Each structure stands twice: as structure tokens, then as C-alpha cells.
Amino acid sequence: MKIRSDFKDVITAVYDSPIGRIKISASNGRIFEIDFTDSDVITDPSLEYFTSQLDEYFYGNRKIFSAEYDLHVSDFQKKVYEIVSRIPFGEIITYSDVANMLGNKYLSRSVGNALASNPLILVIPCHRVVRTDGIGGYTGGIWRKRWLLSHEMAI
């Protein structure tokens, strides 16, 4: 994911998780991007409030993230992300379910495309959305999606 050039005073942190490095980017105290990365980034200590939440999530002590964030996405994506953000920890729904909640059963593919562009992995838990006939895709890789679902179902 590309960092928007209109953000000022961007700070970043890299969190080493059980499923790989996660890069967190924020501006003006609000997170705007969380994504998997291979890069080494100097971690800004002011993002410790969020990396500690990641610790709690991966150790099984957190089910909901509490962070202020900025979303610079389309209105359609916002609607999809609002629905997906309400999926309870340890539960799944299908792309078709989300499409139906949007009022159009034919939007499943558009829902998948919106989730593929999710700028806030884990916070907007797109890994909890699956196909009716299988697991579906995941920007971080299917193995990560399986790991996250297994992790949440085991707690």
C-alpha cells in the first residue's frame, strides 16, 4: 500500500507479529495504514499505544482495537468497512452476507475488491469475511488469513 503524500508528520512503527512484520503509519495521532511489510523501519515510540494492543491481540487478551484512525477511501469502501468492523471476534460472514447488508446481493465481487484495499488490517477485520464455498482471498496471503481465523476461534 502506498502512503498518501498529503499526510504531514508521518510516523511509523514496525511490529514483529507471529505472522510477519506489520507496519503502522500515523499522522497527527491518527493511524491511516496498517499493512504487512518486509522492510526495516525505525519505530517511533509514540506508536507504542497501538503496538501494545497488537501484543494483547496476539497473546489472546484483546478482541477489539481502540485507535483513532483516518480513512481516505470511497463511500462504498466506507460502507463495507463499517459492516466488517462490526463482525465479532471469532466469527465469520461471507462476501455475499456483506453484499446483502449493503442492499444488493450482486455486490459480492465489489465487496471483495474493497476488502483487498483495506488500509487497516486487523482493525478492520477483513480476514473475518470468507467465500460461501471456501476461505477467499487475503492481501497478506491465505496462510495469514487461516492463521488469524484459527487464532480467533481458539480463544
Side-chain angles (χ1 to χ4, degrees):
M1 178 134 334
K2 186 175 180 179
I3 294 178
R4 292 172 47 115
S5 60
D6 56 334
F7 284 111
K8 304 294 182 218
D9 303 316
V10 173
I11 58 173
T12 57
V14 170
Y15 176 82
D16 287 314
S17 81
I19 54 173
R21 288 183 161 190
I22 297 173
K23 180 181 175 184
I24 304 114
S25 300
S27 177
N28 299 320
R30 299 171 70 85
I31 294 172
F32 65 87
E33 182 182 49
I34 304 167
D35 203 1
F36 296 104
T37 185
D38 291 328
S39 70
D40 290 320
V41 174
I42 297 174
T43 297
D44 191 302
S46 64
L47 286 173
E48 187 176 329
Y49 75 93
F50 188 72
T51 57
S52 66
Q53 290 184 38
L54 288 171
D55 274 341
E56 293 168 359
Y57 171 81
F58 284 109
Y59 288 112
N61 300 319
R62 176 173 290 273
K63 296 181 179 183
I64 298 172
F65 292 97
S66 59
E68 291 191 34
Y69 56 85
D70 277 326
L71 280 177
H72 295 273
V73 297
S74 72
D75 288 341
F76 177 77
Q77 288 170 304
K78 281 182 187 176
K79 290 175 186 174
V80 170
Y81 299 160
E82 286 171 12
I83 291 169
V84 172
S85 293
R86 294 192 303 262
I87 304 170
F89 181 94
E91 294 185 22
I92 58 172
I93 65 174
T94 66
Y95 297 99
S96 296
D97 292 333
V98 177
N100 286 329
M101 289 177 205
L102 290 167
N104 185 335
K105 65 181 182 178
Y106 299 107
L107 290 176
S108 296
R109 186 175 300 242
S110 296
V111 167
N113 289 335
L115 294 178
S117 299
N118 178 4
L120 299 171
I121 60 164
L122 301 176
V123 171
I124 299 171
C126 56
H127 61 278
R128 296 178 190 156
V129 182
V130 299
R131 290 175 42 153
T132 53
D133 62 350
I135 194 161
Y138 188 63
T139 303
I142 299 299
W143 72 271
R144 284 189 175 114
K145 184 171 187 171
R146 282 193 171 103
W147 191 98
L148 289 165
L149 291 174
S150 176
H151 170 69
E152 290 187 7
M153 307 266 179
I155 295 174

